[in-house]
Amino acid sequence: MTMSTRITASAKKQEVTSVTAATTSTAAASASLASVTVSTQVVDTKLDAAPGKKARAPRRLKASSETGASAAAAVAPGTAAALPEDALRPEAAKKARAPRRPKVVADTAASAGGGEAGGSQAAPVKRVRKAAQPKDAAVKPPAPYFLMKNEPDELNFAQLEGEPGKGWHWDGVRNYQARNFMRSMPMGQQALFYHSSCKVPGIMGICEVVSAPYPDHTQFDPTSKYYDATSTREAPKWWMVDVRFVRKFARQITLEELRKHREAGLSGMMLWSHIRLSIQPVTQQEWDYIVALDRGGARHW
């Protein structure tokens, strides 16, 4: 046998040995894996069969969009019977809201009577909400008197004095608060006639309302400076009254003079806080104080 023949035989022998070793190693690994699998199964079996151990309940499914049948199909076989019946229903069906009970308030008088009779409480009664007042409903005057401002070139107190029995339109009011005050005036309402937007503003005398409030015609007149295109005859926005002469003061009580009495007896007048408001309520105390000024009884300077 030659040297080359010996080397070739030796190489083949080593190759066979290597393949045999690899095969043996693979078989051992497979056996080890099988052993692990068997061991895991044994552990699972022990856990399932362990006494005193409570099996974990399967999670309840969110069934807000599924039907009961679809929820049951999603549960693993053998566990559906363990779920509560309502777990298979839609979420909305489980929490049905009860209708709200109306708010009630006990009748005080009835409760008191029941207590005197024998301590039994009267049956509660439903609270009744007051109906909203319509916009055109009559308004109670906020004060017994008013102060009414007008520009002398619009309506001068001298005009009323010149025709004492005539009723004069008090039109052109375009302020909602002043309009509401005007609409609260009953016939016979007395007011202080005040000249405004002039060189010497002040109170000229007393006038009286001689008509119920009615729609101001100037709001429908396109040629009037008081025209309002948004107002209609079916639903007028602006109202007016007619006034007539009652009495002229011995002298004009000017705004400057009124300011001197502001702290003494006229501090609450809207004349100070609502300077541009053309119709303002006047209290009995304020009225008496101003009338006394005309007679000279309230001067103190």
Short mmCIF file of all heavy atoms in Angstrom, two decimals, residues 201-267:
data_model
loop_
_atom_site.label_atom_id
_atom_site.label_comp_id
_atom_site.label_asym_id
_atom_site.label_seq_id
_atom_site.Cartn_x
_atom_site.Cartn_y
_atom_site.Cartn_z
N PRO A 201 -79.37 122.63 30.62
CA PRO A 201 -80.31 121.53 30.88
C PRO A 201 -80.88 121.60 32.29
O PRO A 201 -80.21 122.08 33.22
CB PRO A 201 -79.44 120.28 30.69
CG PRO A 201 -78.06 120.74 31.00
CD PRO A 201 -77.98 122.18 30.56
N GLY A 202 -82.12 121.10 32.45
CA GLY A 202 -82.71 121.09 33.77
C GLY A 202 -84.20 120.80 33.72
O GLY A 202 -84.79 120.61 32.65
N ILE A 203 -84.82 120.76 34.90
CA ILE A 203 -86.24 120.43 35.04
C ILE A 203 -87.06 121.71 34.90
O ILE A 203 -86.82 122.72 35.58
CB ILE A 203 -86.51 119.78 36.40
CG1 ILE A 203 -85.68 118.48 36.54
CG2 ILE A 203 -87.99 119.46 36.57
CD1 ILE A 203 -85.73 117.86 37.92
N MET A 204 -88.08 121.64 34.01
CA MET A 204 -88.92 122.80 33.73
C MET A 204 -90.24 122.77 34.51
O MET A 204 -90.79 123.82 34.84
CB MET A 204 -89.24 122.86 32.24
CG MET A 204 -88.00 122.87 31.36
SD MET A 204 -86.88 124.25 31.70
CE MET A 204 -87.92 125.65 31.29
N GLY A 205 -90.78 121.58 34.76
CA GLY A 205 -92.05 121.49 35.45
C GLY A 205 -92.56 120.06 35.48
O GLY A 205 -91.78 119.11 35.36
N ILE A 206 -93.86 119.90 35.58
CA ILE A 206 -94.48 118.58 35.71
C ILE A 206 -95.45 118.36 34.56
O ILE A 206 -96.24 119.26 34.21
CB ILE A 206 -95.23 118.46 37.06
CG1 ILE A 206 -94.23 118.63 38.22
CG2 ILE A 206 -95.93 117.11 37.17
CD1 ILE A 206 -94.89 118.67 39.60
N CYS A 207 -95.42 117.16 33.97
CA CYS A 207 -96.37 116.75 32.94
C CYS A 207 -97.06 115.48 33.38
O CYS A 207 -96.65 114.84 34.35
CB CYS A 207 -95.68 116.56 31.59
SG CYS A 207 -94.45 115.24 31.57
N GLU A 208 -98.09 115.08 32.63
CA GLU A 208 -98.90 113.92 32.99
C GLU A 208 -99.18 113.07 31.76
O GLU A 208 -99.44 113.60 30.67
CB GLU A 208 -100.22 114.38 33.61
CG GLU A 208 -101.15 113.26 34.03
CD GLU A 208 -102.48 113.79 34.54
OE1 GLU A 208 -102.84 114.94 34.21
OE2 GLU A 208 -103.16 113.05 35.28
N VAL A 209 -99.13 111.75 31.91
CA VAL A 209 -99.42 110.83 30.82
C VAL A 209 -100.93 110.74 30.65
O VAL A 209 -101.65 110.48 31.62
CB VAL A 209 -98.81 109.43 31.10
CG1 VAL A 209 -99.23 108.44 30.02
CG2 VAL A 209 -97.30 109.51 31.20
N VAL A 210 -101.40 110.94 29.40
CA VAL A 210 -102.85 110.94 29.15
C VAL A 210 -103.27 109.87 28.14
O VAL A 210 -104.39 109.92 27.63
CB VAL A 210 -103.30 112.34 28.66
CG1 VAL A 210 -103.13 113.37 29.76
CG2 VAL A 210 -102.55 112.75 27.40
N SER A 211 -102.38 108.92 27.85
CA SER A 211 -102.74 107.83 26.94
C SER A 211 -102.02 106.57 27.36
O SER A 211 -100.99 106.62 28.04
CB SER A 211 -102.38 108.17 25.49
OG SER A 211 -100.98 108.07 25.29
N ALA A 212 -102.57 105.45 26.94
CA ALA A 212 -101.86 104.19 27.11
C ALA A 212 -100.72 104.13 26.08
O ALA A 212 -100.79 104.79 25.04
CB ALA A 212 -102.81 103.01 26.91
N PRO A 213 -99.66 103.37 26.35
CA PRO A 213 -98.59 103.25 25.36
C PRO A 213 -99.11 102.67 24.04
O PRO A 213 -99.92 101.74 24.04
CB PRO A 213 -97.60 102.30 26.03
CG PRO A 213 -97.90 102.40 27.49
CD PRO A 213 -99.37 102.62 27.58
N TYR A 214 -98.64 103.19 22.92
CA TYR A 214 -99.03 102.70 21.61
C TYR A 214 -97.84 102.86 20.65
O TYR A 214 -96.90 103.62 20.94
CB TYR A 214 -100.27 103.43 21.08
CG TYR A 214 -100.14 104.92 20.91
CD1 TYR A 214 -99.87 105.48 19.65
CD2 TYR A 214 -100.29 105.79 22.00
CE1 TYR A 214 -99.77 106.85 19.48
CE2 TYR A 214 -100.19 107.17 21.83
CZ TYR A 214 -99.93 107.69 20.57
OH TYR A 214 -99.82 109.05 20.40
N PRO A 215 -97.83 102.15 19.51
CA PRO A 215 -96.67 102.17 18.61
C PRO A 215 -96.32 103.58 18.13
O PRO A 215 -97.20 104.37 17.77
CB PRO A 215 -97.09 101.27 17.46
CG PRO A 215 -98.11 100.36 18.06
CD PRO A 215 -98.85 101.17 19.06
N ASP A 216 -95.04 103.86 18.17
CA ASP A 216 -94.52 105.15 17.69
C ASP A 216 -94.59 105.17 16.16
O ASP A 216 -93.95 104.35 15.49
CB ASP A 216 -93.08 105.31 18.18
CG ASP A 216 -92.47 106.65 17.80
OD1 ASP A 216 -93.05 107.36 16.97
OD2 ASP A 216 -91.38 106.95 18.33
N HIS A 217 -95.36 106.11 15.58
CA HIS A 217 -95.56 106.14 14.14
C HIS A 217 -94.30 106.53 13.37
O HIS A 217 -94.16 106.23 12.19
CB HIS A 217 -96.69 107.13 13.79
CG HIS A 217 -96.39 108.54 14.21
ND1 HIS A 217 -96.60 109.00 15.50
CD2 HIS A 217 -95.87 109.59 13.52
CE1 HIS A 217 -96.25 110.26 15.58
NE2 HIS A 217 -95.79 110.65 14.40
N THR A 218 -93.35 107.21 14.03
CA THR A 218 -92.15 107.66 13.32
C THR A 218 -91.24 106.51 12.90
O THR A 218 -90.42 106.66 11.98
CB THR A 218 -91.35 108.64 14.18
OG1 THR A 218 -90.93 107.99 15.38
CG2 THR A 218 -92.19 109.86 14.54
N GLN A 219 -91.39 105.35 13.53
CA GLN A 219 -90.55 104.21 13.15
C GLN A 219 -90.91 103.66 11.77
O GLN A 219 -90.11 102.96 11.15
CB GLN A 219 -90.67 103.10 14.20
CG GLN A 219 -92.05 102.47 14.31
CD GLN A 219 -92.18 101.52 15.49
OE1 GLN A 219 -91.36 100.62 15.66
NE2 GLN A 219 -93.21 101.74 16.31
N PHE A 220 -92.12 103.97 11.29
CA PHE A 220 -92.56 103.49 9.98
C PHE A 220 -92.40 104.54 8.87
O PHE A 220 -92.69 104.25 7.72
CB PHE A 220 -94.04 103.07 10.04
CG PHE A 220 -94.36 102.15 11.19
CD1 PHE A 220 -95.34 102.49 12.12
CD2 PHE A 220 -93.67 100.95 11.35
CE1 PHE A 220 -95.64 101.65 13.18
CE2 PHE A 220 -93.96 100.10 12.42
CZ PHE A 220 -94.95 100.45 13.33
N ASP A 221 -91.96 105.73 9.24
CA ASP A 221 -91.87 106.84 8.29
C ASP A 221 -90.44 106.95 7.74
O ASP A 221 -89.53 107.36 8.48
CB ASP A 221 -92.26 108.14 8.98
CG ASP A 221 -92.28 109.33 8.02
OD1 ASP A 221 -92.04 109.12 6.81
OD2 ASP A 221 -92.53 110.46 8.50
N PRO A 222 -90.21 106.60 6.46
CA PRO A 222 -88.85 106.67 5.90
C PRO A 222 -88.26 108.08 5.89
O PRO A 222 -87.04 108.23 5.82
CB PRO A 222 -89.03 106.14 4.47
CG PRO A 222 -90.31 105.36 4.50
CD PRO A 222 -91.18 106.05 5.51
N THR A 223 -89.10 109.10 5.96
CA THR A 223 -88.59 110.47 5.96
C THR A 223 -88.21 110.96 7.35
O THR A 223 -87.62 112.05 7.48
CB THR A 223 -89.66 111.43 5.38
OG1 THR A 223 -90.82 111.43 6.22
CG2 THR A 223 -90.07 110.98 3.97
N SER A 224 -88.53 110.20 8.39
CA SER A 224 -88.23 110.61 9.76
C SER A 224 -86.83 110.16 10.16
O SER A 224 -86.34 109.10 9.73
CB SER A 224 -89.26 110.02 10.73
OG SER A 224 -88.88 110.25 12.07
N LYS A 225 -86.17 110.94 10.99
CA LYS A 225 -84.85 110.54 11.48
C LYS A 225 -84.96 109.39 12.48
O LYS A 225 -83.95 108.79 12.86
CB LYS A 225 -84.13 111.72 12.11
CG LYS A 225 -84.77 112.27 13.37
CD LYS A 225 -83.95 113.42 13.93
CE LYS A 225 -84.53 113.98 15.21
NZ LYS A 225 -83.70 115.10 15.75
N TYR A 226 -86.17 109.09 12.91
CA TYR A 226 -86.39 107.98 13.83
C TYR A 226 -86.89 106.72 13.11
O TYR A 226 -87.35 105.77 13.76
CB TYR A 226 -87.40 108.38 14.91
CG TYR A 226 -86.93 109.54 15.76
CD1 TYR A 226 -87.65 110.74 15.78
CD2 TYR A 226 -85.78 109.45 16.53
CE1 TYR A 226 -87.23 111.81 16.55
CE2 TYR A 226 -85.34 110.51 17.30
CZ TYR A 226 -86.08 111.69 17.31
OH TYR A 226 -85.64 112.75 18.09
N TYR A 227 -86.80 106.71 11.80
CA TYR A 227 -87.26 105.56 11.01
C TYR A 227 -86.43 104.32 11.34
O TYR A 227 -85.20 104.39 11.47
CB TYR A 227 -87.15 105.88 9.52
CG TYR A 227 -87.45 104.72 8.60
CD1 TYR A 227 -88.72 104.17 8.53
CD2 TYR A 227 -86.45 104.18 7.79
CE1 TYR A 227 -89.00 103.11 7.68
CE2 TYR A 227 -86.72 103.12 6.94
CZ TYR A 227 -87.99 102.58 6.88
OH TYR A 227 -88.27 101.53 6.05
N ASP A 228 -87.12 103.18 11.46
CA ASP A 228 -86.47 101.90 11.75
C ASP A 228 -86.97 100.87 10.75
O ASP A 228 -88.11 100.41 10.83
CB ASP A 228 -86.78 101.44 13.17
CG ASP A 228 -85.99 100.20 13.58
OD1 ASP A 228 -85.38 99.57 12.70
OD2 ASP A 228 -85.99 99.87 14.78
N ALA A 229 -86.12 100.52 9.79
CA ALA A 229 -86.52 99.59 8.72
C ALA A 229 -86.75 98.18 9.24
O ALA A 229 -87.39 97.37 8.57
CB ALA A 229 -85.45 99.57 7.63
N THR A 230 -86.23 97.86 10.40
CA THR A 230 -86.40 96.50 10.94
C THR A 230 -87.71 96.32 11.70
O THR A 230 -88.03 95.20 12.11
CB THR A 230 -85.24 96.15 11.88
OG1 THR A 230 -85.27 97.02 13.02
CG2 THR A 230 -83.89 96.31 11.17
N SER A 231 -88.43 97.41 11.92
CA SER A 231 -89.70 97.34 12.65
C SER A 231 -90.87 97.28 11.68
O SER A 231 -90.84 97.90 10.61
CB SER A 231 -89.85 98.57 13.56
OG SER A 231 -91.02 98.48 14.34
N THR A 232 -91.89 96.52 12.01
CA THR A 232 -93.07 96.37 11.18
C THR A 232 -94.32 96.74 11.97
O THR A 232 -94.30 96.74 13.21
CB THR A 232 -93.20 94.93 10.66
OG1 THR A 232 -93.42 94.04 11.77
CG2 THR A 232 -91.95 94.49 9.91
N ARG A 233 -95.39 97.01 11.27
CA ARG A 233 -96.64 97.34 11.94
C ARG A 233 -97.21 96.12 12.67
O ARG A 233 -97.94 96.27 13.66
CB ARG A 233 -97.65 97.88 10.92
CG ARG A 233 -97.22 99.21 10.30
CD ARG A 233 -98.29 99.80 9.41
NE ARG A 233 -97.83 101.03 8.78
CZ ARG A 233 -97.86 102.24 9.36
NH1 ARG A 233 -98.36 102.37 10.59
NH2 ARG A 233 -97.42 103.30 8.73
N GLU A 234 -96.89 94.93 12.16
CA GLU A 234 -97.35 93.71 12.83
C GLU A 234 -96.57 93.46 14.11
O GLU A 234 -97.09 92.89 15.07
CB GLU A 234 -97.22 92.51 11.88
CG GLU A 234 -98.14 92.54 10.67
CD GLU A 234 -97.68 93.53 9.61
OE1 GLU A 234 -96.48 93.92 9.65
OE2 GLU A 234 -98.51 93.92 8.75
N ALA A 235 -95.30 93.84 14.12
CA ALA A 235 -94.46 93.65 15.31
C ALA A 235 -93.62 94.90 15.54
O ALA A 235 -92.42 94.92 15.29
CB ALA A 235 -93.57 92.42 15.13
N PRO A 236 -94.23 95.98 16.02
CA PRO A 236 -93.50 97.24 16.23
C PRO A 236 -92.49 97.11 17.38
O PRO A 236 -92.74 96.43 18.37
CB PRO A 236 -94.61 98.24 16.55
CG PRO A 236 -95.72 97.41 17.11
CD PRO A 236 -95.66 96.10 16.39
N LYS A 237 -91.39 97.81 17.23
CA LYS A 237 -90.35 97.79 18.26
C LYS A 237 -90.50 98.96 19.24
O LYS A 237 -90.17 98.83 20.42
CB LYS A 237 -88.97 97.88 17.63
CG LYS A 237 -88.49 96.60 16.96
CD LYS A 237 -87.06 96.80 16.47
CE LYS A 237 -86.50 95.53 15.86
NZ LYS A 237 -85.11 95.71 15.39
N TRP A 238 -90.97 100.08 18.76
CA TRP A 238 -90.91 101.31 19.54
C TRP A 238 -92.31 101.84 19.87
O TRP A 238 -93.22 101.76 19.05
CB TRP A 238 -90.09 102.37 18.79
CG TRP A 238 -88.77 101.84 18.36
CD1 TRP A 238 -88.36 101.56 17.10
CD2 TRP A 238 -87.68 101.48 19.22
NE1 TRP A 238 -87.09 101.06 17.09
CE2 TRP A 238 -86.64 101.00 18.39
CE3 TRP A 238 -87.48 101.52 20.60
CZ2 TRP A 238 -85.43 100.57 18.90
CZ3 TRP A 238 -86.26 101.08 21.11
CH2 TRP A 238 -85.26 100.62 20.25
N TRP A 239 -92.43 102.39 21.08
CA TRP A 239 -93.73 102.82 21.58
C TRP A 239 -93.63 104.25 22.09
O TRP A 239 -92.54 104.78 22.33
CB TRP A 239 -94.19 101.89 22.71
CG TRP A 239 -94.39 100.47 22.23
CD1 TRP A 239 -93.43 99.60 21.83
CD2 TRP A 239 -95.63 99.81 22.06
NE1 TRP A 239 -93.99 98.41 21.44
CE2 TRP A 239 -95.35 98.50 21.57
CE3 TRP A 239 -96.96 100.15 22.30
CZ2 TRP A 239 -96.33 97.58 21.30
CZ3 TRP A 239 -97.96 99.22 22.04
CH2 TRP A 239 -97.64 97.95 21.55
N MET A 240 -94.80 104.88 22.28
CA MET A 240 -94.83 106.25 22.79
C MET A 240 -96.10 106.45 23.61
O MET A 240 -97.01 105.61 23.60
CB MET A 240 -94.76 107.26 21.64
CG MET A 240 -95.96 107.25 20.72
SD MET A 240 -95.77 108.47 19.39
CE MET A 240 -97.38 108.36 18.61
N VAL A 241 -96.15 107.59 24.30
CA VAL A 241 -97.34 108.01 25.04
C VAL A 241 -97.60 109.47 24.73
O VAL A 241 -96.75 110.17 24.16
CB VAL A 241 -97.16 107.81 26.57
CG1 VAL A 241 -97.02 106.35 26.92
CG2 VAL A 241 -95.97 108.62 27.08
N ASP A 242 -98.78 109.92 25.10
CA ASP A 242 -99.11 111.34 24.99
C ASP A 242 -99.06 111.96 26.38
O ASP A 242 -99.47 111.33 27.38
CB ASP A 242 -100.51 111.54 24.40
CG ASP A 242 -100.58 111.07 22.94
OD1 ASP A 242 -99.51 110.95 22.31
OD2 ASP A 242 -101.70 110.83 22.46
N VAL A 243 -98.53 113.18 26.46
CA VAL A 243 -98.43 113.88 27.74
C VAL A 243 -99.08 115.26 27.61
O VAL A 243 -99.23 115.81 26.52
CB VAL A 243 -96.95 114.03 28.17
CG1 VAL A 243 -96.30 112.67 28.34
CG2 VAL A 243 -96.16 114.88 27.18
N ARG A 244 -99.44 115.82 28.76
CA ARG A 244 -100.00 117.18 28.77
C ARG A 244 -99.45 117.94 29.96
O ARG A 244 -98.92 117.37 30.92
CB ARG A 244 -101.52 117.15 28.80
CG ARG A 244 -102.12 116.66 30.10
CD ARG A 244 -103.63 116.60 30.03
NE ARG A 244 -104.22 116.03 31.25
CZ ARG A 244 -105.47 115.66 31.35
NH1 ARG A 244 -106.30 115.79 30.30
NH2 ARG A 244 -105.93 115.16 32.48
N PHE A 245 -99.65 119.24 29.93
CA PHE A 245 -99.14 120.16 30.93
C PHE A 245 -99.87 119.97 32.27
O PHE A 245 -101.09 119.80 32.31
CB PHE A 245 -99.31 121.60 30.43
CG PHE A 245 -98.94 122.66 31.40
CD1 PHE A 245 -97.63 123.07 31.53
CD2 PHE A 245 -99.91 123.26 32.20
CE1 PHE A 245 -97.28 124.08 32.43
CE2 PHE A 245 -99.58 124.26 33.10
CZ PHE A 245 -98.26 124.67 33.22
N VAL A 246 -99.11 120.04 33.37
CA VAL A 246 -99.67 120.02 34.72
C VAL A 246 -99.30 121.29 35.47
O VAL A 246 -100.16 122.06 35.92
CB VAL A 246 -99.22 118.78 35.51
CG1 VAL A 246 -99.69 118.86 36.96
CG2 VAL A 246 -99.72 117.52 34.86
N ARG A 247 -97.98 121.52 35.60
CA ARG A 247 -97.54 122.71 36.34
C ARG A 247 -96.13 123.09 35.94
O ARG A 247 -95.28 122.22 35.74
CB ARG A 247 -97.59 122.43 37.86
CG ARG A 247 -97.16 123.60 38.72
CD ARG A 247 -97.55 123.38 40.18
NE ARG A 247 -96.75 122.34 40.83
CZ ARG A 247 -95.57 122.58 41.41
NH1 ARG A 247 -95.04 123.80 41.37
NH2 ARG A 247 -94.94 121.62 42.02
N LYS A 248 -95.94 124.40 35.85
CA LYS A 248 -94.60 124.91 35.55
C LYS A 248 -93.94 125.34 36.86
O LYS A 248 -94.57 125.96 37.73
CB LYS A 248 -94.69 126.12 34.61
CG LYS A 248 -93.33 126.70 34.25
CD LYS A 248 -93.49 127.93 33.34
CE LYS A 248 -92.13 128.52 33.01
NZ LYS A 248 -92.26 129.71 32.13
N PHE A 249 -92.65 124.97 37.01
CA PHE A 249 -91.92 125.37 38.20
C PHE A 249 -91.69 126.88 38.19
O PHE A 249 -91.64 127.52 37.12
CB PHE A 249 -90.58 124.64 38.29
CG PHE A 249 -90.69 123.21 38.78
CD1 PHE A 249 -89.57 122.39 38.81
CD2 PHE A 249 -91.90 122.69 39.21
CE1 PHE A 249 -89.66 121.07 39.27
CE2 PHE A 249 -92.00 121.39 39.67
CZ PHE A 249 -90.88 120.58 39.70
N ALA A 250 -91.55 127.44 39.36
CA ALA A 250 -91.32 128.87 39.48
C ALA A 250 -90.01 129.27 38.79
O ALA A 250 -89.86 130.40 38.32
CB ALA A 250 -91.31 129.29 40.95
N ARG A 251 -89.12 128.37 38.72
CA ARG A 251 -87.84 128.58 38.03
C ARG A 251 -87.33 127.24 37.53
O ARG A 251 -87.74 126.18 38.03
CB ARG A 251 -86.81 129.20 38.99
CG ARG A 251 -86.56 128.32 40.20
CD ARG A 251 -85.67 128.97 41.23
NE ARG A 251 -85.58 128.13 42.43
CZ ARG A 251 -84.75 127.10 42.56
NH1 ARG A 251 -83.93 126.78 41.56
NH2 ARG A 251 -84.74 126.38 43.67
N GLN A 252 -86.47 127.27 36.59
CA GLN A 252 -85.86 126.03 36.10
C GLN A 252 -84.87 125.52 37.14
O GLN A 252 -84.01 126.26 37.61
CB GLN A 252 -85.13 126.26 34.77
CG GLN A 252 -84.47 125.00 34.22
CD GLN A 252 -83.59 125.27 33.01
OE1 GLN A 252 -83.14 126.40 32.81
NE2 GLN A 252 -83.34 124.25 32.21
N ILE A 253 -85.02 124.24 37.50
CA ILE A 253 -84.05 123.61 38.41
C ILE A 253 -82.99 122.98 37.53
O ILE A 253 -83.20 121.92 36.92
CB ILE A 253 -84.73 122.57 39.32
CG1 ILE A 253 -85.84 123.23 40.13
CG2 ILE A 253 -83.71 121.92 40.25
CD1 ILE A 253 -86.62 122.27 41.01
N THR A 254 -81.88 123.63 37.43
CA THR A 254 -80.84 123.24 36.48
C THR A 254 -80.10 122.00 36.94
O THR A 254 -80.14 121.62 38.14
CB THR A 254 -79.84 124.39 36.28
OG1 THR A 254 -79.15 124.62 37.52
CG2 THR A 254 -80.55 125.66 35.84
N LEU A 255 -79.41 121.39 35.99
CA LEU A 255 -78.58 120.21 36.31
C LEU A 255 -77.49 120.59 37.29
O LEU A 255 -77.16 119.81 38.20
CB LEU A 255 -77.97 119.65 35.02
CG LEU A 255 -77.02 118.48 35.17
CD1 LEU A 255 -77.71 117.28 35.80
CD2 LEU A 255 -76.42 118.07 33.81
N GLU A 256 -76.94 121.78 37.16
CA GLU A 256 -75.90 122.22 38.09
C GLU A 256 -76.44 122.30 39.51
O GLU A 256 -75.77 121.91 40.47
CB GLU A 256 -75.38 123.59 37.63
CG GLU A 256 -74.26 124.14 38.51
CD GLU A 256 -73.77 125.49 38.05
OE1 GLU A 256 -74.29 125.99 37.03
OE2 GLU A 256 -72.88 126.06 38.72
N GLU A 257 -77.67 122.82 39.65
CA GLU A 257 -78.27 122.91 40.99
C GLU A 257 -78.56 121.52 41.55
O GLU A 257 -78.36 121.27 42.75
CB GLU A 257 -79.56 123.73 40.93
CG GLU A 257 -80.22 123.91 42.28
CD GLU A 257 -81.48 124.75 42.19
OE1 GLU A 257 -81.71 125.40 41.15
OE2 GLU A 257 -82.25 124.76 43.18
N LEU A 258 -79.02 120.61 40.71
CA LEU A 258 -79.30 119.23 41.15
C LEU A 258 -78.04 118.55 41.66
O LEU A 258 -78.08 117.79 42.63
CB LEU A 258 -79.91 118.43 40.01
CG LEU A 258 -81.34 118.82 39.59
CD1 LEU A 258 -81.74 118.11 38.30
CD2 LEU A 258 -82.34 118.50 40.69
N ARG A 259 -76.93 118.83 41.01
CA ARG A 259 -75.65 118.23 41.44
C ARG A 259 -75.26 118.69 42.84
O ARG A 259 -74.63 117.93 43.60
CB ARG A 259 -74.56 118.58 40.44
CG ARG A 259 -74.63 117.77 39.16
CD ARG A 259 -73.64 118.27 38.14
NE ARG A 259 -73.64 117.43 36.93
CZ ARG A 259 -73.15 117.81 35.75
NH1 ARG A 259 -72.61 119.04 35.62
NH2 ARG A 259 -73.19 116.99 34.73
N LYS A 260 -75.63 119.87 43.21
CA LYS A 260 -75.30 120.38 44.55
C LYS A 260 -76.08 119.63 45.63
O LYS A 260 -75.69 119.65 46.80
CB LYS A 260 -75.59 121.88 44.62
CG LYS A 260 -74.67 122.71 43.73
CD LYS A 260 -75.03 124.20 43.79
CE LYS A 260 -74.11 125.01 42.89
NZ LYS A 260 -74.46 126.46 42.91
N HIS A 261 -77.19 119.02 45.22
CA HIS A 261 -78.03 118.28 46.19
C HIS A 261 -77.85 116.76 46.06
O HIS A 261 -78.61 116.01 46.67
CB HIS A 261 -79.51 118.62 45.96
CG HIS A 261 -79.84 120.04 46.28
ND1 HIS A 261 -80.25 120.45 47.54
CD2 HIS A 261 -79.79 121.16 45.52
CE1 HIS A 261 -80.47 121.76 47.52
NE2 HIS A 261 -80.20 122.21 46.30
N ARG A 262 -76.87 116.38 45.30
CA ARG A 262 -76.69 114.94 45.04
C ARG A 262 -76.45 114.17 46.33
O ARG A 262 -77.08 113.13 46.57
CB ARG A 262 -75.53 114.73 44.07
CG ARG A 262 -75.24 113.27 43.77
CD ARG A 262 -74.19 113.14 42.68
NE ARG A 262 -73.90 111.75 42.40
CZ ARG A 262 -73.05 111.35 41.43
NH1 ARG A 262 -72.44 112.25 40.67
NH2 ARG A 262 -72.83 110.06 41.25
N GLU A 263 -75.57 114.66 47.17
CA GLU A 263 -75.25 113.94 48.40
C GLU A 263 -76.31 114.13 49.48
O GLU A 263 -76.50 113.27 50.34
CB GLU A 263 -73.89 114.39 48.93
CG GLU A 263 -72.73 114.10 47.98
CD GLU A 263 -72.60 112.64 47.66
OE1 GLU A 263 -72.90 111.79 48.55
OE2 GLU A 263 -72.20 112.30 46.53
N ALA A 264 -77.04 115.22 49.40
CA ALA A 264 -78.03 115.52 50.45
C ALA A 264 -79.28 114.66 50.35
O ALA A 264 -79.79 114.18 51.36
CB ALA A 264 -78.40 117.01 50.38
N GLY A 265 -79.78 114.45 49.13
CA GLY A 265 -81.02 113.68 49.02
C GLY A 265 -81.28 113.06 47.67
O GLY A 265 -82.31 112.42 47.47
N LEU A 266 -80.37 113.25 46.71
CA LEU A 266 -80.58 112.76 45.35
C LEU A 266 -79.48 111.82 44.89
O LEU A 266 -79.23 111.68 43.69
CB LEU A 266 -80.69 113.96 44.39
CG LEU A 266 -81.77 114.99 44.71
CD1 LEU A 266 -81.70 116.17 43.75
CD2 LEU A 266 -83.16 114.36 44.69
N SER A 267 -78.82 111.17 45.82
CA SER A 267 -77.66 110.33 45.46
C SER A 267 -78.06 109.09 44.65
O SER A 267 -77.26 108.56 43.87
CB SER A 267 -76.91 109.88 46.72
OG SER A 267 -77.79 109.15 47.58
#
